[in-house]
Amino acid sequence: MSGVLTLAATVAAAAVAVAAYRFIDRRHKQFGDMLQRAGVRKKPSKIIDCERDPETGIYRPRR
């Protein structure tokens, strides 16, 4: 009987975990869509201009 209860508890815990993951994923997508509709954008990333050193072949920031 103990094995059956352990198996049932494991299956129930897995089902709850899947349901929680789907709920969180759905909320995350809704929040992202809301931000896009509001026009909120991420900060532009910095672009570093680099040039290749002919002697070593390593890219270094352009001066």
Side-chain angles (χ1 to χ4, degrees), residues 2-54:
S2 177
V4 174
L5 290 177
T6 301
L7 180 63
T10 303
V11 170
V16 168
V18 169
Y21 175 80
R22 288 183 178 174
F23 175 78
I24 292 169
D25 189 47
R26 187 171 45 246
R27 288 291 180 158
H28 183 262
K29 287 179 184 177
Q30 289 174 353
F31 184 69
D33 292 342
M34 182 184 66
L35 288 179
Q36 283 183 346
R37 278 186 268 134
V40 176
R41 297 185 182 154
K42 294 180 181 177
K43 293 180 183 178
S45 61
K46 278 188 169 180
I47 298 175
I48 301 172
D49 195 14
C50 296
E51 61 186 353
R52 188 174 180 188
D53 185 11

